[in-house]
Amino acid sequence: MHIGKSDRLTIRGMVRVVFEIKKNPLLVFLAWCITVLPFFIIYNTYETVMSSLIPLVLSFLISHALFNSYYLIKDETLIVVFGIFKKKIPIKEIHGITYSSRSLSSPSWTLTRLAIQYDPDRWGLFSLPKDEKGLFAKLQSVNPYIEFP
């Protein structure tokens, strides 16, 4: 499924809003290189497929995350998808959103991340959406008490 910059989907009567994630071209290039590298190793050497299993699995996970990362707002829940990983956050529990530049804190396609604080003491770091203002507006329509940068 191709996800546009900000698509509104209606499935089974529920409105779902999807926000695409920004991708830093340098990180995308590095991910592409890491994804393609195992195939060159297999082709150029006499290694068995079993010895290349770990690089093949990693290349699959990286490429899946590259093409399958987005924000989804479904009912009153923010769902952040990064490849095979999904994080569900009730929008009513979000206290604030700020920017973070911690590069080793979490997987992300951008160098600057959104730090979302929810519950009393929990927070998560996520990639920036392409339409930040649209995401913020949709979150604020569900929870007007969220503090934004």
Side-chain angles (χ1 to χ4, degrees):
M1 172 173 95
H2 173 70
I3 299 170
K5 187 174 180 183
S6 150
D7 290 335
R8 185 180 192 91
L9 306 169
T10 304
I11 301 172
R12 294 186 208 142
M14 292 186 292
V15 175
R16 299 175 181 196
V17 183
V18 179
F19 294 92
E20 190 177 343
I21 287 182
K22 286 182 187 176
K23 294 178 178 117
N24 182 316
L26 177 63
L27 295 178
V28 170
F29 176 74
L30 290 174
W32 183 83
C33 289
I34 291 171
T35 301
V36 174
L37 185 64
F39 298 103
F40 283 112
I41 292 172
I42 292 170
Y43 181 75
N44 291 327
T45 64
Y46 295 105
E47 298 291 326
T48 63
V49 174
M50 289 306 292
S51 65
S52 300
L53 187 62
I54 292 174
L56 286 172
V57 170
L58 288 176
S59 69
F60 169 77
L61 292 174
I62 290 171
S63 62
H64 184 63
L66 181 62
F67 296 109
N68 193 33
S69 296
Y70 55 90
Y71 288 91
L72 171 66
I73 296 177
K74 181 176 133 182
D75 298 325
E76 294 188 351
T77 304
L78 172 66
I79 303 170
V80 184
V81 177
F82 187 83
I84 62 170
F85 303 105
K86 289 183 183 177
K87 179 67 177 171
K88 294 181 180 182
I89 303 171
I91 297 173
K92 296 282 187 185
E93 294 180 9
I94 297 175
H95 299 292
I97 297 176
T98 58
Y99 294 106
S100 174
S101 296
R102 297 179 190 169
S103 60
L104 298 176
S105 301
S106 66
S108 177
W109 292 116
T110 55
L111 298 176
T112 303
R113 296 161 170 80
L114 284 184
I116 300 177
Q117 182 185 4
Y118 59 100
D119 276 345
D121 300 322
R122 299 181 71 189
W123 56 275
L125 292 175
F126 307 103
S127 294
L128 293 175
K130 282 188 176 179
D131 182 12
E132 292 175 48
K133 291 181 182 181
L135 177 67
F136 294 166
K138 184 63 179 167
L139 292 174
Q140 197 160 40
S141 71
V142 176
N143 181 357
Y145 301 107
I146 298 175
E147 295 180 19
F148 295 100

